[in-house]
Amino acid sequence: MARSREHEYDVTVRWTGNSGAGTAGYRGYGRDNEVAATGKPVTIPGSADPAFVGDPERWNPEELLVASLSQCHMLSYLALCSLQRIVVTSYEDRAHGTMRETPGGGGQFTDVLLAPVVTVAEESMVKAATELHEKAHEICFVASSVNFPVRNAPTVAVAGSPDQP
């Protein structure tokens, strides 16, 4: 019987948008923040979505959620491919998330579409490489933790073939 394990993750989110008056007025404070973790080489510059008075040049939480889903799927998928001896030579996902605002100031994601474009070393690997996306979705920790659909629309091509994206 498999043993249950727990993992913990600590991050620090620091608001850096106080221009001197704090949150005295809705438009008077910046949404800028920094996301950091002990031992990580980079601090991620964050803000709100521009629709909510944020800085469009900084990452917002909604983008980070979509990125987390995409990254988790990719890492799960690459591990599965490696274990099945499917040689992936490139992987790029242009993930898209949709969030709907609700009356009263809230909202929620309605879905995320992952659209990975994968290149494998040989034609004989294409079928299994395509099928492994479903298993990767099943074992992705982040996708298993959200309450909205995460769909996959993968494309798999063979390295050096004319139809390679």
Side-chain angles (χ1 to χ4, degrees):
M1 181 169 156
R3 191 176 73 150
S4 178
R5 300 186 325 177
E6 230 176 61
H7 302 273
E8 297 181 13
Y9 303 92
D10 298 309
V11 299
T12 300
V13 176
R14 184 175 301 110
W15 177 46
T16 59
N18 185 350
S19 58
T23 59
Y26 183 75
R27 295 201 175 267
Y29 68 93
R31 275 54 175 183
D32 293 358
N33 61 78
E34 297 174 344
V35 180
T38 302
K40 302 294 188 229
V42 176
T43 298
I44 300 169
S47 188
D49 183 297
F52 308 110
V53 198
D55 183 343
E57 294 183 9
R58 290 174 161 252
W59 288 90
N60 64 59
E62 295 81 12
E63 290 170 324
L64 291 170
L65 176 60
V66 174
S68 292
L69 286 161
S70 176
Q71 189 177 23
C72 184
H73 180 87
M74 177 190 70
L75 294 169
S76 299
Y77 177 78
L78 293 175
L80 291 170
C81 285
S82 175
L83 293 170
Q84 296 293 319
R85 304 211 188 292
I86 296 168
V87 180
V88 175
T89 59
S90 71
Y91 183 111
E92 181 175 320
D93 184 10
R94 297 198 180 244
H96 175 80
T98 303
M99 185 188 76
R100 180 175 298 128
E101 287 185 62
T102 56
Q108 66 186 44
F109 272 81
T110 57
D111 77 318
V112 168
L113 174 64
L114 305 179
V117 176
V118 178
T119 304
V120 295
E122 299 173 10
E123 179 68 37
S124 62
M125 299 174 178
V126 171
K127 183 177 187 290
T130 302
E131 291 170 351
L132 281 177
H133 281 283
E134 185 174 329
K135 178 68 174 171
H137 175 71
E138 291 171 10
I139 66 171
C140 171
F141 305 130
V142 180
S144 297
S145 301
V146 298
N147 66 351
F148 53 85
V150 179
R151 298 175 292 121
N152 291 285
T155 301
V156 178
V158 179
S161 69
D163 61 336
Q164 180 185 1

